[in-house]
Amino acid sequence: AKMLKQKFDIPVILGGAALANYDLRELMLAFNFVDFIIIKEGEAAFVELLRKMKLKDFKTVPNLIWRTKSQIMFNALGPVINLNALPAPNFDGLALKSYFSPEMIIPLVTSRHCPWGRCKFCNLNAAYHGHYRVRAMRKVIADIRYLNKRYGAANFFLTDSEMSPKRLKDFSLALIKSKLKVHFACYIRPTQGVTFGLLQSFYKAGGRFLVAGVESLSDRCLQQILPYTPLVERASGSGHFYLDVSGVRRLFGPPQDIGRFLSLYYRSQE
């Protein structure tokens, strides 16, 4: 970004949920080639910033951090975005078929924040106003139909932080009803709601890959957080899909969790 700015004299804009973890005033001071940072959600703020670019008047752009010659300015936050008011994703201009993948995979977000929402350490609390929101299922199916027609996309990765069992069931049934011939993957938490019946619907709808995220691999700790079915039991009864055990997000609690994880990992490789 620094080299592009030096060569073309263009503004540099940062954004994304990961920025919630940083001291943004210090970041702006440390990287003087960064002109703007958009925090929280960026759809409305980015469009407004582009409109104000020629006028050089950024005081009313929501969610914006910017610099004058002598100060770092923090604008007021804008309202929480209604996900149903957003258009379908558009990937025009991206070389989608040039990615290193056997087939094109399109990312798709159907919700923001997390249905669990109790982890104090999670940057989603700061990034999305601490409020879980979903896009209406009819709009999600319409998005997939649009992306399938426009780009020929038949593979999707739902990048929601987690698909709850009910949300995954509703999505699977809606996708089956739509008769769209696509495949998809998503993130889940392996709770007792993830039943074999749900997994059958998931597979019938085109689901082929699940990434399971847990706060610990200690059943004792998990039972204190939420009634879980043990991950080993859930994986062994998975049937016609691949449960990505090796990619489990690991936040180890007691020391014995490390041994449990390694044992589970090597069993999955067998």
Side-chain angles (χ1 to χ4, degrees), residues 78-220:
V80 175
I81 289 178
N82 178 1
L83 298 188
N84 290 326
L86 295 176
N90 186 289
F91 297 95
D92 289 1
L94 291 177
L96 295 175
K97 295 183 179 180
S98 296
Y99 285 85
F100 293 110
S101 177
E103 296 184 29
M104 181 184 0
I105 302 174
I106 294 286
L108 185 65
V109 181
T110 79
S111 67
R112 287 186 181 168
H113 200 13
C114 169
W116 174 240
R118 303 183 191 180
C119 300
K120 298 298 184 183
F121 54 79
C122 184
N123 63 355
L124 295 178
N125 293 311
Y128 294 128
H129 306 275
H131 179 56
Y132 177 63
R133 290 157 288 148
V134 300
R135 186 165 171 87
M137 199 56 68
R138 59 182 175 80
K139 286 187 170 287
V140 174
I141 299 301
D143 291 343
I144 293 176
R145 193 182 301 279
Y146 166 82
L147 294 168
N148 176 258
K149 182 177 180 180
R150 189 173 186 89
Y151 306 108
N155 302 284
F156 297 86
F157 199 114
L158 307 183
T159 57
D160 307 45
S161 64
E162 175 196 341
M163 292 285 281
S164 68
K166 182 181 185 308
R167 179 97 175 141
L168 182 56
K169 179 180 179 180
D170 291 345
F171 175 75
S172 297
L173 294 178
L175 198 54
I176 293 170
K177 186 177 180 180
S178 74
K179 300 186 184 308
L180 285 164
K181 302 300 181 183
V182 298
H183 292 141
F184 70 95
C186 65
Y187 296 102
I188 64 164
R189 178 180 282 110
T191 63
Q192 291 178 343
V194 184
T195 63
F196 189 67
L198 171 60
L199 299 179
Q200 288 178 310
S201 297
F202 166 83
Y203 184 81
K204 184 177 179 181
R208 292 297 183 272
F209 186 84
L210 288 171
V211 181
V214 295
E215 286 72 20
S216 172
L217 289 177
S218 163
D219 288 336
R220 179 179 61 81

